[in-house]
Structure formats: structure tokens, C-alpha cells
Amino acid sequence: MKTTNLFLILILLSTTLFAENGSELWLRKKATSNVNINCSKSSATIQIALNELKNGWQGEDGATIELKIVKDKQLKADGFRLNKNSIQATTDAGLLYGAYEMLRRQHTGQEIRNEVINSDYNLRLLNHWDNLNGSIERGYAGRSIFWHGTDSLEVSENDLKKWKEYARANASVGINGTVLNNVNASPSVLTTPVLERAKAVADVLRPYGIKTYLAVNFASPEVIGGLETADPLDPEVKAWWNDKVKEIYALIPDFGGFLVKANSEGQPGPQNFGRTHADGANMMAEALQPYNGIVMWRAFVYNPSDEDRAKQAYNEFMPLDGQFHENVIIQVKNGPIDFQPREPFSPLFGAMKHTPVMPELQITMEYLGQSVHLVFLATMWEEFLKSETWQEGAGSTVARCTDGSIFNQKHSAIAGVANIGLDDNWCGHDFAQANWYAFGRQAWNHSLSSAQIAEEWIKLTFGPDSFNDKEITPEFEWNLAFVEPVKNMMLESREATVNYMMPLGLHHIFSAHAHYGPGPWWAPPGMRKDWTPPYYHQADSLGIGFDRTAAGSNAISQYHEPLATQLGDVNMCPESLLLWFHHLPWDYQMKNGRSLWDEMCYRYDAGVKQVRTFQQLWDKTERFVDPERFAAVQHKLTEQSMNALEWKDACLLYFQQFSKLPIPYELERPMHNLDELLKRDKVRVRRSQ
Ligand code: GCW
């Protein structure tokens, strides 16, 4: 072989080996100095903490630190006391979390002083909507990391490696539980061969402090158990679940429990047998109780009826408050409809006073541009968690109504629907990793600001070691020309998406099925009304918006005073939620003096412009980012920009048919025409069916 060829091959090899593909997430920083660690206890978990500290230490060179299990009333189970030279905790997991916090502070230049750090929620879970065949419902980052089909349940070296990396990433942000499969659950998940694979996952996750949970199908006793019914009050059904739970705990002694989607979107449930959600949940809770397992019972229920969909979960669950066993938690999506770019909080938060309620957030961006759009979700979750419910007077935020500080409940929990798949960078978009990171951080500490989380993530994920231009003098230039602008872009990104998709409280006007792209017009004859966008926007010649005041569906009555009055009064309702709660004329005057129609046009236009600014901003960062990740993000921003324009044109041209008003002349003219967009959407809908 000629030397030049050999040389070329070597170059090629090194670029492929060292190409930045995002697979290291926010865990890229390596040790720059040595540390001595004293710890009198040993366990698999503590061993991980020691290795992490050794491999990541960037503190004083040659420092000696101590890891210690202590008795300390100030510390909750996962909490720790952090000091310059020590980490104390009451559990091994606490020490591990302390180690990750110490490293995070070193790697992001934050101070380490004597501090007690407890988690706000006890249970911080990811929900994977992964099917046993390896596909992922609403997954945009490749196939499942857990499942490859029921004929391929054997555990490979690759599986083990991936699960370990996954566990480490979760533990580093405090996530301590994971539901391995889709809430639209296959009954097969409870068959023995599948449970054996779940056990293999659980064995890898355990040392990282992560418990394993499964989503179960309510009809399992019939489908895989051969019983004639799944009636929760039937003794044989109860016995079946008891036996099944016993089998699971024999395999996974620290199994967390079940997640259940019942009588929702066609899934079976207790109502099939004339029983209530409480009957169903309690039956499972009884089976799990001897092992300290829990049931997370979802409140995502709605039926085609004359009742406003936004009201149905509350109507269904409020009468059951107080009837659930102690180990049942009701899992409620943040908003009353379905993970829209902006929703008010679900009125169930704080209203169920005798039952623990846990928020379900969606990290995977089903309705927010999937893995194409750059949208940092921490701001949305911060807005949600800090929302004032007024249930127990001022200060009863959603966060405090669910973290156990207001209602005396045994369990406090929060879940996020994962955005993880087998893609090299885990999440499809390099910036979507920030949402996984942010979920963990907020689940641990719901008072953290989105700005702090963004800054941490940027500093951990990028940095001098991946500069494209090695001449840059790190600290100063990097902060000013990279960290700050990229942080601002992240913080603005969700509002930009709201602007170009659904400003002013509009919701659910997506292209059908795939939920990607605009589709405000979609309403085929005979289709369930509550699955069509016109049901939600209610546009007509007089105006637009869903009237949820007392004159309309009266959904506002489900909120506590003074919020109900505030939302119901068009002058007090926040403009960001105006069309969620009110149907208003096209010439309704906004606070800035513009008409509603003009304001809509301005908002859509602003959204498009914001994304263009993101493109410019990102292009300017090229010197600071490795070529691979730079190009990947650049490419996605271009697509996002084109999508934003499509959203704007589609919605404005469609609604203009009702408003019959011109798009203000100082704004850019549409670049598409409505017929073309309708055709494009038809193809999209057909493909997604
Ligand atoms: O938003 C809808 C999704 C479904 C999902 C359902 C749910 C898992 O479109 O894909 O099913 O919510 O949360 O149960």
C-alpha cells in the first residue's frame, strides 16, 4: 500500500473515531486533576460515584475528599450534604447524586459550599412509549433502546452497553425511575420471556439508583391469562394479578410498579365492566402493596360527547378523590387537552386534595416540531410548575400541590415522556438533549430557573475541547460569543414556536395523525369532532376561539377562585391564553391597540422572524462548535425556518377566509398559496394514516 493511501486511511479513521456525534450528551468533560477519595462503605452504587469523581475531577489537584453515609434529619432519601471536601448522604444513591452535583459544579464553574440538597419530588420518572416490536409511539430519535421484538428478547452486549450509558445519563440528572414500555401497552409485556428481559434492564439500572416500572394493559388477565373477564372485582382476576405481581418481584425485587392507561383512546379499563377508575386502580394497588409497589393511573381520558374535552378528566376523576388507595398516584398531563405548545395547567392540579397527583410532561416533542425544531422546553415546564392554582391560597403553585409540601401524601412524583431512541445522539436533535437534561433537573429542583439549566447544559455539552477554531481564548470569548447568545436562543425558542404555530391560546390545529405541520382545516365528514382542529379554533365569520366561559362550556369553573373569574373575564385573561378561553370577534381590540386579526398576523410573523434570527445566531457560532454538531444543528434550523413559514402562511391564509381582512401591509406577503398547502397536507395525512 502506498504511504499516501495509508495516510489518508489514518486520517479518515481518526475523524470517524473522534467525530462528535453527540453520543456523550452532557457528560463529555474529563478529569484534569487527581483526587483521593476516602469512603468506608462499598457498594455497586458507591463504586460508580468513586469512578465518576476520579474520571471527572476538575477541582484542586491532589485534593482528598470523603464520601460518608450519615444519619442526618435534614437529608431526605436521595438528598446529600455537599462540601468542598466531602459528600454526606443517608443512602448510597444520595452519595451518587452528590458526586454528580460536585462534578457539575466543577465543570460549569459554580461554587461549592456547605449546602444541603434534597430533591423536590421523590419519584422522578421517564415514561418510554416504546413498543415491544422496537418502534416508539411519538418517537423521533430512532428505534427503542429496550426492545427489538418479542422474537429477539435475548440480551446482547450492545444492549447492556446502551442501558448502562442510559442509566448513567439519568442518574447524573437525578432521574430515579423508568417505565420501559408504551402506555398503549401490549398485554405481552407481562409474559415471562418479556419479564425476563425487563429484569435484565433492571439489573443494569439498579446500581444507578433507578427503579424499573412497566405499563400494563388492563385486559391482560383475559388476553394472556385466559380468563373470561378482567373485571377488577372478580376474585379470579384479582388472584391473576396477585400471581403476576409475585412473579415480577421474584425477578425484580425492587420493581417500582405499574403505569396504566385505562378507558382512554380505546384502551380497555374497569369501565368495560361497569366499574370505576378507583376500582381498577385499587385492585392493582392491592396486589403491589405488599412489595411497596405503586400504581400510576393516568387521567388522560375523554370521550366523543357534547362535553368540552378540556373538562372531561376533571369531571371523571374529581368524584373519585379520596377513594384511591395510598399507593395510587393519579398521573395528569400538564394541560387539560394534550401537550400543546401552550396550555393552561390542568384544573386537576391542587383540586384533588386526598389523592396524590403527579404531572406528566412530554419531553418528546410530538406537537412542537418533533426532532426537527429547536425548542427548549424548560421555560414551558417552569411556567407550568410555577402556575398559581390558588387551591390553598396564594403560593399553591402546581409544583407545591404535587411535591407533597401542601398535601400530606405518601408519594410525590413527576414523569416525562422520553425523547430517547437508538440515534447516535439519543434524541434526534442535539438540542433536544437539553430537554432530557432539563426534565431531570426540574424534577429534582422545581425552583431552578430555565436560564440556569440552559447555561449548565451548554457548558457541559459544548466547550473548549470541541472548538472548531483552536485559536480562541476560551473563557471570555466563549461566554460572550457562545454561551450567552445560545442560552438566549434556547430561552426564546418555545415562545417562538408558540408564535409561528399557535399564538394567543390557539391549540390543536395540527396536521392530522402525525401532528407535524399545520392542518387547521382538517375535518373529514363523519370524523369524531374532538379530533378535528375546527372543534378547537371555532373560526367563523364573526371571530375565533373556544368559549370556555360560563356562556360557553364553562371550563373556567373548574379552576379555583380568583383564577376562575380572571380567566373568564376577557379583560383579565392573559392574552397568551385568550383564544383558549374566549371566542372573540376579529376586530376585538388587544391591549396594544391592534385588532385581534392584526395581532394574530403579527404573532405568526414574529415567530418566523425569531427562527431566522436563530439561524443567524447559530451561523455565527461556527468557530465554537465541532463541524459535525454545527452542521447538524444548522441543517435542522433551516428546516425549522421553512416549517415556520409554512405554519404562518397556512394559518393566516386559512383563517383569512373567515376574517376577510388583509394581512397588514407592512408584514411580508405569504410565500405559499392555500391550495398548494392543502395539497401538501393531504399527502402528509395520507402517509401518516
Ligand atoms: O397525545 C396523544 C398521542 C398518543 C398517546 C396519547 C396518550 C400514547 O397522540 O400517541 O398515546 O396521547 O398520552 O395516551
Side-chain angles (χ1 to χ4, degrees):
M1 193 184 290
K2 279 209 274 175
T3 350
T4 37
N5 280 352
L6 188 69
F7 188 61
L8 273 177
I9 289 174
L10 279 177
I11 291 187
L12 259 174
L13 209 68
S14 65
T15 42
T16 23
L17 282 180
F18 301 113
E20 286 280 356
N21 59 9
S23 60
E24 288 187 275
L25 297 160
W26 49 86
L27 294 160
R28 323 172 52 251
K29 305 277 184 261
K30 305 282 178 284
T32 52
S33 39
N34 293 316
V35 61
N36 307 307
I37 312 170
N38 294 331
C39 181
S40 55
K41 192 179 169 198
S42 86
S43 73
T45 304
I46 289 178
Q47 196 51 50
I48 295 171
L50 300 183
N51 290 344
E52 292 288 9
L53 286 167
K54 285 208 170 110
N55 298 333
W57 189 256
Q58 294 194 353
E60 194 194 330
D61 193 23
T64 299
I65 63 162
E66 187 185 36
L67 264 57
K68 199 171 179 192
I69 295 287
V70 292
K71 286 206 173 92
D72 184 336
K73 289 229 164 62
Q74 277 183 278
L75 297 179
K76 293 208 277 179
D78 291 338
F80 52 89
R81 186 184 288 278
L82 194 64
N83 232 319
K84 227 168 156 0
N85 294 318
S86 74
I87 304 169
Q88 300 183 346
T90 60
T91 61
D92 296 4
L95 290 181
L96 182 61
Y97 295 132
Y100 283 122
E101 181 65 27
M102 192 159 224
L103 293 175
R104 176 166 30 246
R105 298 213 177 179
Q106 289 178 356
H107 297 170
T108 58
Q110 296 178 65
E111 203 191 345
I112 299 174
R113 52 191 147 77
N114 186 2
E115 221 175 316
V116 166
I117 303 180
N118 283 314
S119 68
D120 284 330
Y121 290 101
N122 299 334
L123 307 174
R124 307 170 294 276
L125 274 81
L126 286 186
N127 287 184
H128 288 265
W129 287 357
D130 294 20
N131 299 311
L132 299 184
N133 68 8
S135 64
I136 303 181
E137 184 155 350
R138 310 305 177 185
Y140 313 103
R143 313 264 309 165
S144 168
I145 65 167
F146 298 119
W147 311 104
H148 320 303
T150 39
D151 49 0
S152 147
L153 291 167
E154 210 171 302
V155 177
S156 69
E157 283 304 314
N158 270 346
D159 288 332
L160 293 171
K161 184 168 169 276
K162 197 80 195 168
W163 298 341
K164 196 166 165 183
E165 288 169 3
Y166 165 84
R168 176 174 178 235
N170 279 331
S172 75
V173 291
I175 291 167
N176 69 353
T178 189
V179 183
L180 300 182
N181 64 306
N182 191 356
V183 288
N184 288 326
S186 162
S188 313
V189 81
L190 291 177
T191 56
T192 306
V194 178
L195 289 177
E196 275 163 1
R197 188 172 165 90
K199 171 201 159 47
V201 179
D203 289 344
V204 178
L205 304 190
R206 185 171 301 112
Y208 288 87
I210 301 169
K211 278 193 183 181
T212 299
Y213 300 74
L214 292 172
V216 297
N217 184 300
F218 199 81
S220 302
E222 284 176 271
V223 186
I224 59 162
L227 301 190
E228 280 181 0
T229 176
D231 180 348
L233 302 192
D234 182 288
E236 272 190 75
V237 171
K238 288 186 184 188
W240 188 87
W241 283 106
N242 287 342
D243 289 348
K244 199 34 95 179
V245 165
K246 192 168 169 198
E247 180 188 346
I248 296 174
Y249 278 91
L251 289 166
I252 310 173
D254 57 349
F255 180 67
F258 293 150
L259 170 63
V260 194
K261 171 174 177 177
N263 293 122
S264 160
E265 297 186 331
Q267 291 298 323
Q271 292 176 339
N272 299 27
F273 310 95
R275 313 294 183 195
T276 67
H277 284 286
D279 294 328
N282 289 343
M283 178 267 298
M284 289 188 183
E286 277 163 32
L288 289 158
Q289 201 275 330
Y291 311 91
N292 289 322
I294 59 164
V295 176
M296 292 163 291
W297 192 270
R298 293 175 91 229
F300 180 64
V301 297
Y302 63 101
N303 286 309
S305 74
D306 290 339
E307 186 60 291
D308 176 2
R309 172 171 166 191
K311 290 176 71 181
Q312 295 186 27
Y314 182 100
N315 289 348
E316 183 86 45
F317 278 85
M318 277 308 282
L320 301 175
D321 191 18
Q323 294 182 28
F324 293 96
H325 287 350
E326 205 184 41
N327 56 336
V328 176
I329 313 180
I330 304 301
Q331 182 165 315
V332 182
K333 289 188 183 184
N334 57 295
I337 300 278
D338 194 5
F339 297 139
Q340 301 300 291
R342 169 165 281 123
E343 295 192 40
F345 66 88
S346 159
L348 278 169
F349 291 107
M352 289 189 90
K353 299 186 197 305
H354 309 287
T355 314
V357 171
M358 63 188 281
E360 176 180 311
L361 308 172
Q362 197 185 42
I363 311 172
T364 189
M365 302 201 304
E366 174 179 358
Y367 295 99
L368 285 102
Q370 302 177 359
S371 59
V372 178
H373 296 201
L374 187 160
V375 192
F376 182 50
L377 299 174
T379 47
M380 173 159 93
W381 299 332
E382 186 178 355
E383 172 181 302
F384 160 71
L385 289 164
K386 293 183 177 163
S387 291
E388 178 62 89
T389 74
W390 293 103
Q391 288 290 342
E392 298 288 313
S396 324
T397 57
V398 168
R400 296 192 66 244
C401 287
T402 49
D403 71 1
S405 56
I406 293 189
F407 303 114
N408 182 20
Q409 58 203 45
K410 191 165 166 206
H411 299 288
S412 72
I414 185 164
V417 180
N419 62 348
I420 296 158
L422 278 175
D423 275 6
D424 281 345
N425 71 2
W426 296 87
C427 301
H429 192 310
D430 286 296
F431 275 77
Q433 298 177 352
N435 292 331
W436 177 8
Y437 181 87
F439 170 75
R441 298 291 285 133
Q442 284 177 328
W444 182 280
N445 178 352
H446 55 54
S447 326
L448 279 182
S449 71
S450 307
Q452 167 162 353
I453 298 172
E455 184 164 334
E456 281 178 10
W457 178 79
I458 296 168
K459 288 184 171 170
L460 295 168
T461 307
F462 299 97
D465 51 331
S466 65
F467 284 174
N468 194 15
D469 175 351
K470 303 287 175 210
E471 302 294 301
I472 298 167
T473 22
E475 279 310 305
F476 171 72
E477 269 203 71
W478 188 50
N479 269 320
L480 218 69
F482 188 81
V483 180
E484 280 303 308
V486 171
K487 178 171 80 182
N488 292 336
M489 167 175 75
M490 289 170 75
L491 293 176
E492 192 185 325
S493 59
R494 184 271 187 139
E495 205 59 47
T497 302
V498 169
N499 282 338
Y500 65 72
M501 286 186 181
M502 275 163 276
L504 301 170
L506 286 172
H507 51 289
H508 221 298
I509 54 175
F510 296 90
S511 178
H513 313 304
H515 299 164
Y516 188 88
W521 43 72
W522 190 76
M527 175 55 62
R528 251 178 86 159
K529 287 216 170 25
D530 58 347
W531 280 351
T532 69
Y535 170 90
Y536 299 96
H537 62 65
Q538 305 265 325
D540 55 25
S541 61
L542 300 178
I544 183 169
F546 199 122
D547 185 358
R548 296 195 162 102
T549 68
S553 79
N554 205 18
I556 54 143
S557 67
Q558 296 182 337
Y559 291 94
H560 200 281
E561 289 297 358
L563 191 56
T565 302
Q566 188 196 337
L567 296 173
D569 179 337
V570 68
N571 295 313
M572 291 200 278
C573 180
E575 287 191 341
S576 58
L577 290 172
L578 205 58
L579 303 177
W580 185 284
F581 290 109
H582 299 271
H583 185 81
L584 295 171
W586 294 108
D587 63 357
Y588 171 80
Q589 200 186 349
M590 304 292 293
K591 296 206 172 84
N592 61 11
R594 285 191 194 126
S595 71
L596 171 61
W597 166 254
D598 279 4
E599 182 64 12
M600 263 178 63
C601 296
Y602 271 92
R603 296 278 178 128
Y604 275 107
D605 191 69
V608 172
K609 289 199 178 116
Q610 281 167 296
V611 184
R612 291 199 183 142
T613 344
F614 299 164
Q615 287 184 281
Q616 287 170 332
L617 186 151
W618 185 251
D619 280 0
K620 280 199 246 167
T621 66
E622 186 163 6
R623 296 189 305 143
F624 298 93
V625 189
D626 48 278
E628 296 77 13
R629 287 188 296 173
F630 175 78
V633 173
Q634 186 185 47
H635 179 79
K636 298 235 166 177
L637 279 170
T638 312
E639 211 170 328
Q640 182 176 359
S641 198
M642 293 191 293
N643 286 175
L645 185 63
E646 185 185 337
W647 267 100
K648 171 192 159 192
D649 286 354
C651 294
L652 292 183
L653 291 173
Y654 169 75
F655 290 131
Q656 193 177 37
Q657 301 179 113
F658 302 97
S659 79
K660 306 248 187 286
L661 293 165
I663 294 173
Y665 295 108
E666 59 274 27
L667 298 182
E668 261 186 20
R669 304 292 90 194
M671 309 281 276
H672 304 89
N673 66 56
L674 192 56
D675 285 345
E676 168 206 335
L677 291 168
L678 284 166
K679 268 194 216 131
R680 197 186 284 187
D681 187 45
K682 267 208 178 114
V683 176
R684 202 152 36 199
V685 172
R686 201 170 334 115
R687 284 215 190 108
S688 60
Q689 260 164 340

